[in-house]
Amino acid sequence: MIYSSMKIETLVNLRPYNTFGIDTIAKAFAILKEKEDLFQLKSLKEQYGEILILGGGSNVLFTDNYNGIVIHNQLSGIEILSEDDQYIHLKVASGIHWHSFVLHTIENNWGGIENLSLIPGTVGAAPMQNIGAYGVEVKSVITNVTAYDIDKEIFVTFDNHSCQFGYRESIFKHIENKGKYFITDVTFRLQKNPANFNTSYGDIQKVINDNNYAITLKNISDTVIQIRKQKLPDPKELGNAGSFFKNPEISNKEAETLIQKYPQMPHYSLANEKTKVPAAWLIEQCGWKGLIVGNTGNHFQQALVIVNYGNATGQEIKQHAQNVQKSVFEKFNIVLQTEVNFIPY
Ligand code: FAD
Ligand code: EPU
């Protein structure tokens, strides 16, 4: 018999494992702490029909019970691969809590992910949707992603280019790759003793000026944490998964027409003849901000965040999200795409 530290439980309620706080039952559930246990995943997938890799559950919406096995990732360990005067290369196990890793880099004065402070979830899910905040995307510091191919039972390494990173996108998010790869490690290249920081997004520079903060790694991280705590609901208090939709990118031509009609519409020009429009603004204009609909609704401070007021079901939230999408389409002719991963797919 193969040695395994994994204990398989059946009929497990996943409410503690998703930040939306949805009650949902998984047919089977196991915590994976050791890389050796990856070699069991193929037979577990066959035995239970389907497999879901779950990190912090902060970007998923369970719309039904899960009729397969959930593997909760708790792989741990940080390895220094190499360093020189300028850069350090770190191989970080995917089960590590993202924000703990960010704090670790700040304590060591390694720059690159300070703007990504306080994002919930695990290191392994960071490349999944190329997490981003306050003017930085994680793709800018990832050199490699190592994944275990569950069906082929081999480890595969993706360099930055092969990850096909985009705005809230990567190769791992493609539908055909869901349940195929278990991301085991992410390799980061971070700057030692950084001197240049990105303070251009939103209120960062204003908060720094108002408080007379020196521009240091720690102060930028603290500033981002401060802003985020003011703007976003804490999932421990109110279930949510951050932004429910992506910010839409429309053609410059479509944007011009809309700006004529709505001159106050915030918009940002992109390099590819496109314009990004904040989904939060579109949703707010449709009257959803702060509106409570049954057990759900759009948060009163951030219209892009759909929340669970306590007893919402995944179906209820999904239906609400569809109503929001419909009204934005009717008013602006813009299709909002979901950022959150629906389970089952
Ligand atoms: P999960 O929710 O567990 O999983 C998400 C998806 O990734 C699932 O499809 C899952 O199967 C897959 N997955 C997870 N781990 C692995 C793995 N090891 N291998 C293969 N597949 C895997 N996101 C941002 O980009 N920017 C933000 O500013 C931001 N702010 C947020 C604020 C709040 C309050 C909340 C609740 C969420 C926020 N998010 C943000 C979304 C979320 O935190 C990130 O997407 C995060 O990376 C998800 O990590 P997780 O471990 O919780 O992933
Ligand atoms: N706005 C409104 N109404 C609102 C909130 C915002 O009109 O209720 C407008 C404001 O004009 C503001 C603009 O929307 O200038 C942008 O708002 P904000 O800076 O709060 O960011 P966002 O576009 O709503 C994105 C990310 C967040 C990330 C922040 C900060 C997406 C889908 N979301 O939100 O990521 O933390 O920027 O960089 O890109 C996540 O992905 O889960 C997430 C929280």
Side-chain angles (χ1 to χ4, degrees):
M1 202 181 119
I2 309 166
Y3 164 79
S4 171
S5 61
M6 275 203 294
K7 187 171 141 237
I8 312 229
E9 294 173 73
T10 50
L11 302 180
V12 172
N13 190 331
L14 298 178
R15 191 173 183 132
Y17 298 100
N18 72 99
T19 62
F20 249 127
I22 301 293
D23 257 322
T24 183
I25 306 293
K27 187 156 80 179
F29 177 89
I31 294 177
L32 187 143
K33 293 184 175 179
E34 310 287 343
K35 278 199 180 144
E36 293 74 54
D37 290 334
L38 292 164
F39 299 112
Q40 288 186 57
L41 296 186
K42 186 179 183 183
S43 64
L44 288 173
K45 185 174 172 181
E46 282 163 4
Q47 185 181 346
Y48 291 101
E50 51 185 317
I51 193 163
L52 173 72
I53 318 302
L54 196 62
S58 64
N59 208 17
V60 288
L61 176 67
F62 288 98
T63 57
D64 204 344
N65 289 333
Y66 186 67
N67 196 22
I69 183 160
V70 171
I71 304 292
H72 182 43
N73 178 19
Q74 288 188 5
L75 288 174
S76 62
I78 299 181
E79 188 188 345
I80 297 178
L81 292 184
S82 65
E83 59 183 310
D84 57 26
D85 289 347
Q86 252 191 311
Y87 295 109
I88 184 152
H89 288 82
L90 299 169
K91 189 172 181 178
V92 185
S94 58
I96 289 181
H97 179 235
W98 172 261
H99 183 58
S100 307
F101 171 55
V102 174
L103 293 180
H104 176 72
T105 66
I106 285 158
E107 274 161 27
N108 285 283
N109 208 19
W110 298 327
I113 51 175
E114 57 281 2
N115 292 40
L116 303 178
S117 295
L118 210 65
I119 297 180
T122 51
V123 166
M128 177 80 186
Q129 72 156 8
N130 177 25
I131 55 168
Y134 295 90
V136 171
E137 286 183 324
V138 76
K139 71 172 184 184
S140 64
V141 289
I142 290 180
T143 57
N144 291 303
V145 174
T146 308
Y148 178 72
D149 183 324
I150 294 170
D151 302 319
K152 293 190 182 149
E153 302 190 285
I154 51 167
F155 287 91
V156 195
T157 297
F158 295 81
D159 64 14
N160 181 292
H161 179 74
S162 326
C163 289
Q164 299 180 23
F165 289 126
Y167 164 60
R168 296 294 189 273
E169 268 304 334
S170 78
I171 190 167
F172 307 105
K173 211 174 173 182
H174 296 179
I175 188 80
E176 68 275 16
N177 289 331
K178 293 202 169 176
K180 178 173 162 67
Y181 294 116
F182 185 124
I183 295 170
T184 57
D185 304 273
V186 183
T187 303
F188 297 89
R189 187 187 80 153
L190 300 176
Q191 184 133 32
K192 288 168 79 174
N193 308 314
N196 297 320
F197 302 102
N198 185 339
T199 58
S200 58
Y201 187 98
D203 286 344
I204 298 188
Q205 192 63 53
K206 184 179 178 304
V207 173
I208 286 174
N209 293 346
D210 290 354
N211 292 283
N212 266 327
Y213 291 151
I215 305 219
T216 64
L217 211 50
K218 170 113 178 39
N219 284 346
I220 291 181
S221 168
D222 286 347
T223 301
V224 168
I225 291 171
Q226 188 182 328
I227 299 171
R228 291 180 67 97
K229 280 187 173 164
Q230 281 162 8
K231 286 195 168 189
L232 291 165
D234 180 350
K236 288 197 192 91
E237 288 159 18
L238 202 54
N240 75 88
S243 302
F244 198 92
F245 303 102
K246 297 184 195 181
N247 284 325
E249 299 177 357
I250 58 177
S251 72
N252 286 347
K253 200 161 169 274
E254 286 169 290
E256 275 163 31
T257 313
L258 280 174
I259 293 161
Q260 275 185 2
K261 202 167 168 196
Y262 306 99
Q264 75 285 23
M265 183 177 85
H267 56 278
Y268 315 95
S269 294
L270 302 173
N272 51 355
E273 303 270 302
K274 295 214 158 179
T275 300
K276 193 178 264 195
V277 182
W281 187 86
L282 300 170
I283 294 168
E284 185 173 342
Q285 297 308 303
C286 292
W288 294 106
K289 189 171 177 172
L291 203 69
I292 300 175
V293 187
N295 296 298
T296 185
N298 294 67
H299 194 246
F300 71 98
Q301 276 169 321
Q302 217 324 340
L304 191 47
V305 178
I306 295 183
V307 296
N308 174 6
Y309 286 108
N311 294 310
T313 62
Q315 275 301 333
E316 191 177 359
I317 292 175
K318 184 179 176 185
Q319 182 58 56
H320 175 73
Q322 284 170 349
N323 293 341
V324 171
Q325 275 171 315
K326 188 166 175 282
S327 66
V328 167
F329 182 72
E330 281 168 4
K331 192 170 170 82
F332 297 103
N333 202 28
I334 290 178
V335 178
L336 289 183
Q337 288 176 349
T338 49
E339 176 190 303
V340 170
N341 300 278
F342 287 21
I343 315 281
Y345 309 128

